Amino acid sequence: MEMYRSAERLRKLPPYLFKEIDRKKEEVRARGVDIIDLGVGDPDLPTPPHIVEAMKKALDDSSNHQYPSYSGMHRFRETVARWYGERFGVDLDPQTEVVSLIGSKEGIAHFPLAFIDPGDVALVPTPAYPVYHIGTLFAGGESYFLPLVAENDFLPDLEAIPGAVREKARVLFINYPNNPTAATADPAFFERVVAFAREHGIIVCHDAAYTELTFDGYMPPSFLQAPGAKDVGIEFHSLSKTYNMTGWRIGFAVGNREAVQGLGAVKSNVDSGVFQAVQWAAIEAIEGDQACVAEMRKVYQERRDLMVEGLRKAGFELAAPRATFYLWVRVPQGYTSARLATRLLEEAGVVVTPGNGFGEPGEGYFRIALTRTRERMAEALERLQGLSL
Ligand SMILES: *Cc1c(COP(=O)(O)O)cnc(C)c1O
């Protein structure tokens, strides 16, 4: 018997579906198997040196040692606004339409506290990054799940949402380029989202963590480029994937003033902003030489090409993505996602993520992250090609 009853919001957390695979991974590792972990969505490449240097310099300046501004240094918000103008052609007021985040996960998780009351609904894609649903749950809201399926290019079917749900819905989460499906969305989809949100008074939360992690010269749009998007939406951005800065914890949210200010009001009562030295590093990342981004894209593109070709040769069915460092692969006939992941782990020492762990419609898929070297990926492929599935 546990001594303390945990709060309902913790008891309501969905079961952690990767527990079984985590346990098996440790079991296989303990047997001395050389495990190749293609499960983790965390870049293996280091943060570029000029960004690390900017942080070191900022550390020596004692004016950076005090509490930062809640919403981010003005200089940081200006940098973000300028980048949005250049990259997307979107105009932002750095004073009121930009807020710094302690990583975009932090902002996404806190956003529902600003706009969801108990009984309200959030429209949440599935399979998806788990934070949309959990942030909603923590705010006392309910998620209405929007299945992302291949037949609909992994875009939510907004037409299929019942009228009663639309009435209770306050927030719609979307994420393109998408984790885990690696799908992308075109401007026409974002335009449909704007019309839907406007009709029903819904705030759109677009998670744009992967807009810079792209291949073959593809440049994904920002949601805020859609006409009228700034009237209805907020976009969450991250330096984590673009500059290999997952450990630094910095991101930002931009867009609709009320949405940004609402999130800021929650945050100013929960945290005290981002360490200024980290903000200076982020300014250097955004304003400095972008050759590191081109190099990062090249590295992942080579890995993608190697892996897509090798997996197809091994008999797997998958699309070659044009963004994100994920591959969303069909499970062969006769397997569930969990059974296949277990078999790859036990017989090949290769860790993949079973698709159902991201939500029920992910059943029948597994996710591979391109976050290991080419040599390790080639080794993984060799092992997979040796299995008869
Ligand atoms: C990695 C990732 C993020 C970024 O998280 P940070 O907190 O900025 O490190 C956000 N959304 C998705 C879908 C991701 O995969």
Side-chain angles (χ1 to χ4, degrees):
M1 247 292 264
E2 272 158 24
M3 188 148 97
Y4 300 110
R5 172 181 54 77
S6 53
E8 190 172 295
R9 68 182 62 82
L10 286 193
R11 286 183 277 129
K12 271 182 158 172
L13 278 177
Y16 178 68
L17 284 169
F18 303 124
K19 201 157 61 185
E20 191 54 19
I21 195 100
D22 287 352
R23 193 185 59 74
K24 285 211 181 88
K25 188 162 86 180
E26 287 322 306
E27 207 178 279
V28 173
R29 204 193 298 280
R31 291 208 310 258
V33 174
D34 167 30
I35 287 182
I36 304 176
D37 194 339
L38 304 179
V40 284
D42 189 354
D44 58 316
L45 306 165
T47 306
H50 66 285
I51 300 171
V52 176
E53 281 309 314
M55 169 84 168
K56 285 184 183 164
K57 202 169 131 229
L59 274 179
D60 283 334
D61 179 350
S62 64
S63 71
N64 291 325
H65 297 177
Q66 293 179 289
Y67 284 123
S69 131
Y70 289 138
S71 52
M73 286 155 56
H74 188 69
R75 178 73 167 73
F76 172 76
R77 287 181 282 144
E78 263 177 4
T79 296
V80 167
R82 198 172 318 115
W83 180 72
Y84 250 77
E86 287 162 13
R87 166 70 176 85
F88 299 115
V90 169
D91 236 9
L92 293 171
D93 173 6
Q95 283 297 1
T96 57
E97 297 176 334
V98 181
V99 62
S100 62
L101 302 174
I102 310 171
S104 59
K105 179 180 186 176
E106 178 266 307
I108 293 164
H110 282 139
F111 188 80
L113 290 178
F115 293 98
I116 297 263
D117 278 323
D120 288 342
V121 165
L123 304 171
V124 175
T126 178
Y129 188 57
V131 185
Y132 317 134
H133 170 55
I134 290 171
T136 300
L137 201 68
F138 280 3
E142 282 167 41
S143 297
Y144 180 84
F145 289 104
L146 310 176
L148 305 185
V149 295
E151 300 82 82
N152 208 23
D153 300 321
F154 302 106
L155 301 172
D157 181 0
L158 302 175
E159 298 301 310
I161 301 167
V165 173
R166 295 175 188 215
E167 267 169 43
K168 287 201 272 179
R170 304 290 321 280
V171 170
L172 162 64
F173 287 99
I174 50 174
N175 162 223
Y176 296 96
N178 183 260
N179 173 14
T181 68
T184 54
D186 58 15
F189 170 71
F190 288 150
E191 285 168 28
R192 292 201 298 281
V193 169
V194 171
F196 176 83
R198 198 188 286 286
E199 186 182 343
H200 301 289
I202 291 169
I203 306 171
V204 178
C205 291
H206 182 232
D207 179 352
Y210 293 96
T211 58
E212 309 313 299
L213 210 174
T214 62
F215 311 121
D216 310 319
Y218 173 61
M219 292 302 268
S222 157
F223 170 71
L224 297 176
Q225 278 172 277
K230 219 162 73 171
D231 298 337
V232 298
I234 182 169
E235 190 154 79
F236 294 86
H237 240 288
S238 171
L239 283 89
S240 289
K241 314 296 161 53
T242 311
Y243 300 103
N244 306 321
M245 290 176 75
T246 48
W248 297 62
R249 310 317 300 137
I250 184 157
F252 48 91
V254 300
N256 180 266
R257 184 170 310 200
E258 282 175 56
V260 169
Q261 297 303 311
L263 174 58
V266 170
K267 283 175 55 57
S268 65
N269 287 286
V270 174
D271 65 65
S272 298
V274 177
F275 183 23
Q276 285 194 15
V278 172
Q279 294 188 55
W280 282 113
I283 290 166
E284 174 60 25
I286 295 169
E287 291 182 353
D289 191 348
Q290 299 301 300
C292 58
V293 180
E295 178 59 25
M296 176 267 308
R297 289 180 183 137
K298 187 166 147 271
V299 168
Y300 286 126
Q301 186 166 325
E302 283 169 6
R303 293 175 181 179
R304 176 201 66 169
D305 292 345
L306 174 82
M307 230 33 214
V308 168
E309 197 198 324
L311 285 168
R312 284 179 179 160
K313 239 183 233 162
F316 291 100
E317 195 187 307
L318 75 159
R322 55 179 182 168
T324 80
F325 49 39
Y326 302 112
L327 305 178
W328 190 237
V329 190
R330 293 297 302 229
V331 163
Q333 282 269 312
Y335 286 91
T336 61
S337 296
R339 273 201 54 226
L340 184 82
T342 301
R343 198 164 164 218
L344 299 188
L345 175 58
E346 287 183 341
E347 293 178 36
V350 174
V351 176
V352 302
T353 310
N356 62 308
F358 299 101
E360 220 286 306
E363 178 54 53
Y365 292 87
F366 64 95
R367 192 191 75 178
I368 277 183
L370 302 170
T371 51
R372 292 291 174 264
T373 63
R374 272 169 62 89
E375 291 69 30
R376 292 297 274 169
M377 299 235 175
E379 164 74 19
L381 280 176
E382 211 166 289
R383 296 188 199 173
L384 295 187
Q385 283 160 353
L387 293 177
S388 61
L389 294 166

